[in-house]
């Protein structure tokens, strides 16, 4: 995929009367060190991440490198599984669900049954034994430059530490200073949780070598110290003394090359990376880091007002938001924090963000810290396009490309079909077969949902070269489903079987979500075929199949049915609401074309309720935004931004002190999904037009935003006051026709690529 980097280093966006400041208060700040991991602050460059605890006597940086996983190259497909497909379908058709699940467990599941976890790499420690009695402590993460800072005072000397993870230099950098000459002294060393580990210390550097238990991967991490003081070694540690400053540069790598190749040479890679920063100087390294980071971050600005709470520490603000959700600046901060996390965990050339981004401290992390495709990894990328970070979407496309290879054998062995398929979970070895248990692991939507991200990127960019490059992948996904769908003996419709509605109801025939995903995929392939003038006969075949796929249905409770049968339970408050996919992120169900289905979908969401885990709350924010109920969406934002571990809340979900989303435990998808939901309140473009402030809540009566992207290759900047649009500017990047809508007003106009179009609040 082509990568465009736009460097914007000005301090403000100016759009007619709109001036969106650089917002120096886009910071997470604290008045004490972190004790728990979910209080530490994340830094990352897409592949190398760390959690900065900000300790005084002992600083701890727990670090990860994205390719250190358990396991080894492996094809998870179950040979001969397809021989049992017809019997499983028949059992489901006869209502024998338990028998179908038992047969699937024995003959249809992945080999082995479970995938493998993402691993922590190591720990970098800095020891300051004489700094016990400190004052004036401050810890922060500045989102505007992606630098974490700790400062405090001991015996009249001001000490400061800066930490960041640099994408251009591929290092973790730590800069330690004292404002009194030769007053700085500390120790530095590494360790790891792995059983197989080795630490080698030399005159000014240290190397940590780890080997994953029962796996093929090993990792090497090295740091070098530069200082104006003295360096000695003792008991496996480097000791810096009589210094005014010291710089620590750390690099880490593994022998992972790709899902089939573990022949990498991490020793050479780490040495080469560190060699490039030798003698460069911290100032130059930091400037390169900030320039690169801001080329992405500065494209987008948001200002929702500040009522003074931004001067309070972030942990306290989260608690206060629970008591009174009147902190618009915290909402804006939450959006920018999600953008920061996406830049930090997903850059071109890296792997996509996992369930925990790139930050994981455990050898056995929750849900393996893997790629869960029945919503979670997709949710990670919901803000990518709209928040002007299209390049950060690229690692997900690379994952889809890998799965289009490993998923071919699964399609053949499990379904006797061409094309490719992915089920509900994926690891670094790109396992695409159904895993864990037949009652929830045989879910058929992974390939279709992931393919939708390719189509969405095209809709936002209108990049035909990108579409041409990835069209074969989404076509092969559609090819699988065109052969997998079969005629339901009861209704005559084409249905998806066996499958499930994620985590609810067990193994079934014809879950609504599958059919929504497949129809969306078929339509995108049909449209892409017309745009590119390719594979039109195949596209015609998909057109013929579309009306034969089981349709969305309204049930006896006025709900959108989750299954073929009308068996939804209004008292089921499960966190998954998968059958509303066609409302969001899909668009098949909407107020304009299918109002009755939209009402039924809203009824389903009412039945499910407002409680939920972190990512579930985030999805519901997006749903209510699509329903154009901004106040209901904001009430869920209230829950998402409330403290995760406040016992008296008595509900799940929320935010940890470092603003990480709580499932609980930590999952990063809620951060991304929640931010996307906020932006969905401000702009929606999923129906071929750009609707402004479609779900603006009463809690956000004024604001300004610049650099917000809309489908059709448009960049939106606008301002509103007293809950009414004041002005809007549209930058056309591709010269497409544009339709703007605000309340009952609509304006249609042709555009020229590169030209800006300005309107007042009346769209005049």
């Amino acid at each position: 995929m082509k990568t465009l980097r736009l460097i914007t280093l000005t301090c403000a966006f100016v759009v007619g009367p709109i001036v969106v400041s650089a917002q120096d208060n886009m910071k997470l700040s604290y008045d004490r060190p972190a004790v728990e991991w979910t209080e530490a602050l994340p830094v990352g460059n897409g592949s190398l991440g760390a959690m900065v605890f900000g300790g005084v006597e002992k600083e701890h940086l727990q670090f990860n490198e994205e390719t250190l996983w358990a396991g080894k190259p492996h094809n998870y497909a179950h040979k001969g599984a397809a021989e049992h497909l017809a019997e499983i379908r028949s059992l489901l058709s006869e209502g024998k669900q338990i028998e179908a699940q038992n047969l699937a467990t024995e003959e249809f599941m992945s080999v082995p049954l479970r995938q493998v976890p993402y691993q922590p790499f190591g720990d970098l420690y800095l020891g300051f034994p004489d700094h016990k009695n400190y004052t004036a402590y401050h810890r922060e993460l500045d989102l505007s430059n992606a630098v974490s800072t700790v400062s405090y005072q001991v015996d009249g000397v001001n000490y400061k530490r800066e930490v960041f993870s640099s994408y251009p230099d591929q290092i973790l950098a730590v800069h330690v200073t004292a404002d009194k000459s030769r007053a700085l002294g500390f120790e530095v060393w590494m360790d790891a949780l792995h059983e197989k580990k080795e630490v080698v210390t030399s005159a000014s550097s240290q190397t940590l070598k780890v080997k994953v238990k029962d796996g093929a991967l090993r990792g090497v991490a090295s740091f070098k110290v530069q200082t104006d003081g003295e360096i000695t070694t003792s008991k496996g540690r480097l000791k810096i003394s009589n210094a005014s400053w010291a710089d620590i540069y750390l690099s880490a790598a593994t022998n992972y090359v790709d899902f089939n190749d573990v022949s990498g040479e991490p020793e050479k890679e780490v040495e080469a990376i560190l060699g490039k920063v030798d003698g460069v100087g911290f100032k130059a390294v930091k400037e390169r880091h900030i320039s690169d980071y801001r080329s992405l971050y500065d494209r987008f600005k948001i200002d929702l007002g500040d009522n003074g709470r931004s001067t309070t520490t972030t942990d306290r603000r989260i608690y206060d938001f629970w008591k009174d959700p009147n902190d618009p600046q915290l909402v804006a901060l939450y959006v920018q924090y999600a953008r920061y996390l996406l830049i930090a965990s997903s850059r071109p050339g890296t792997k996509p963000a996992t369930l925990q981004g790139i930050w994981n401290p455990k050898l056995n992390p929750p849900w393996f810290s893997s790629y869960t495709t029945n919503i979670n990894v997709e949710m990670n990328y919901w803000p990518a396009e709209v928040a002007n970070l299209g390049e950060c979407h690229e690692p997900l496309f690379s994952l889809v490309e890998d799965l289009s290879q490993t998923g071919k054998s699964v399609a053949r062995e499990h379904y006797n079909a061409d094309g490719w398929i992915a089920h509900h979970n994926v690891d670094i070895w790109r396992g695409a077969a159904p895993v864990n248990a037949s009652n929830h692991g045989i879910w058929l939507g992974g390939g279709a949902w992931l393919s939708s991200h390719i189509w969405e990127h095209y809709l936002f960019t209108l990049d035909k070269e990108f579409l041409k490059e990835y069209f074969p992948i989404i076509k092969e996904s559609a090819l699988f489903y065109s052969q997998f769908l079969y005629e339901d003996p009861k209704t005559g419709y084409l249905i998806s079987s066996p499958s499930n509605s994620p985590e609810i109801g067990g193994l079934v025939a014809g879950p609504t979500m599958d059919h929504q995903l497949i129809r969306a995929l078929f339509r995108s392939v049909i449209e892409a075929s017309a745009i590119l003038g390719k594979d039109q006969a195949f596209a015609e075949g998909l057109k013929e199949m579309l009306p034969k796929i089981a349709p969305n249905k309204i049930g006896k409770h006025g709900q959108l049915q989750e299954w073929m049968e009308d068996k939804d339970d209004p008292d089921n408050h499960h966190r998954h609401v998968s059958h509303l996919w066609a409302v969001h992120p899909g668009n098949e169900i909407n107020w304009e074309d299918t109002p009755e289905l939209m009402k039924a979908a809203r009824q389903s969401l009412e039945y499910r309720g407002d409680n939920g885990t972190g990512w579930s709350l985030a999805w519901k924010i997006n749903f209510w935004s699509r329903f154009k109920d901004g106040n209901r969406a904001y009430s869920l934002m209230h829950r998402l931004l409330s403290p995760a571990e406040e016992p008296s809340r008595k509900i799940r979900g929320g935010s940890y002190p470092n603003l990480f989303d709580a499932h609980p435990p930590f999952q990063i998808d809620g951060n991304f999904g929640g931010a996307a939901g906020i932006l969905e309140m401000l702009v929606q473009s999923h129906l071929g037009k750009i609707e402004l402030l479609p779900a603006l809540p009463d809690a956000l009566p004024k604001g300004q935003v610049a650099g917000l992207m809309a489908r059709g290759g448009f960049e939106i900047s606008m301002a509103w006051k007293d809950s009414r649009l004041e002005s809007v500017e549209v930058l056309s990047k591709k010269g497409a026709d544009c339709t703007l809508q605000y309340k009952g007003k609509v304006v249609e106009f042709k555009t020229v690529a590169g030209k800006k179009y300005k309107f007042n609040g009346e769209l005049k």
Side-chain angles (χ1 to χ4, degrees), residues 560 580 583 589 596-605 627:
L560 186 71
L580 304 194
V583 175
I589 298 177
E596 293 305 313
L597 289 174
M598 197 69 163
K599 291 177 184 176
R602 186 173 61 185
Q603 184 62 69
S604 290
L605 193 58
F627 291 137

Side-chain angles (χ1 to χ4, degrees), residues 365-557:
W367 307 284
F368 297 147
S369 188
S370 62
Y371 305 106
T372 305
T373 64
N374 64 12
I375 184 171
N376 310 94
V377 71
E378 291 92 349
M379 183 180 282
N380 285 356
Y381 289 89
W382 285 357
E385 300 296 338
V386 68
N388 216 331
L389 294 174
E391 293 91 336
C392 295
H393 214 163
E394 183 178 306
L396 188 68
F397 307 146
S398 296
L399 171 69
V400 179
E401 188 171 9
D402 288 350
L403 288 172
S404 72
Q405 300 177 51
T406 61
K408 284 182 179 179
S409 62
V410 176
R412 178 57 56 194
E413 294 291 348
H414 289 249
Y415 303 100
N416 195 27
D418 297 316
W420 66 275
I421 180 59
H423 292 78
H424 95 287
N425 218 70
V426 176
D427 60 15
I428 199 169
W429 311 111
R430 302 312 186 233
V435 296
N436 299 345
S438 64
N439 66 340
H440 69 267
I442 302 176
W443 174 70
L444 272 295
W449 197 339
L450 289 167
S451 294
S452 75
H453 281 254
I454 291 171
W455 179 240
E456 283 292 305
H457 181 74
Y458 170 74
L459 292 179
F460 273 92
T461 64
L462 302 186
D463 185 342
K464 288 187 179 179
E465 290 302 312
F466 169 85
L467 185 62
K468 183 178 180 181
E469 179 182 355
Y470 283 94
F471 177 74
I473 291 175
I474 63 173
K475 178 206 165 187
E476 289 291 307
S477 178
L479 176 62
F480 166 79
Y481 291 109
S482 71
Q483 296 180 9
F484 166 73
L485 291 170
Y486 90 111
E487 187 174 308
D488 177 27
K490 295 180 181 179
T491 65
Y493 284 121
L494 294 177
I495 65 169
S496 170
S497 178
S499 190
N500 71 78
S501 194
E503 297 188 15
I504 306 176
L507 195 64
V508 298
T512 295
M513 183 193 204
D514 278 16
H515 302 149
Q516 294 173 350
L517 285 162
I518 294 167
R519 280 193 295 269
L521 173 64
F522 283 9
R523 287 169 179 146
S524 64
V525 171
I526 291 166
E527 191 169 346
S529 171
I531 292 167
L532 298 174
K534 297 182 63 175
D535 296 288
Q536 292 173 335
F538 177 71
E540 287 299 319
L542 298 183
K543 284 183 184 178
E544 293 179 8
M545 293 184 73
L546 272 172
K548 300 176 183 178
I549 299 173
N552 295 301
K553 296 171 67 177
I554 299 174
K556 59 188 176 184
H557 302 293

Side-chain angles (χ1 to χ4, degrees), residues 266-278:
E267 293 89 353
K268 291 183 178 179
E269 185 176 346
V270 165
E271 182 179 1
I273 290 171
L274 290 177
K276 292 178 181 178
V277 295
D278 266 348

Side-chain angles (χ1 to χ4, degrees), residues 159-210:
Y159 295 92
K160 184 178 180 181
R161 296 195 297 269
E162 296 177 272
V163 181
F164 58 83
S165 188
S166 167
Y167 181 70
D169 285 313
Q170 289 296 298
I171 54 157
L172 180 67
V174 184
H175 181 56
V176 190
T177 60
D179 69 353
K180 181 179 178 181
S181 179
R182 307 302 176 184
L184 181 63
F186 64 97
E187 295 178 326
V188 57
W189 69 98
M190 284 190 291
D191 200 354
L193 293 177
H194 299 277
E195 291 181 12
K196 296 182 179 180
K197 61 185 175 183
E198 178 187 6
V199 178
V200 179
T201 306
S202 63
S204 61
S205 66
Q206 189 173 86
T207 296
L208 168 68
K209 297 181 180 181
V210 300

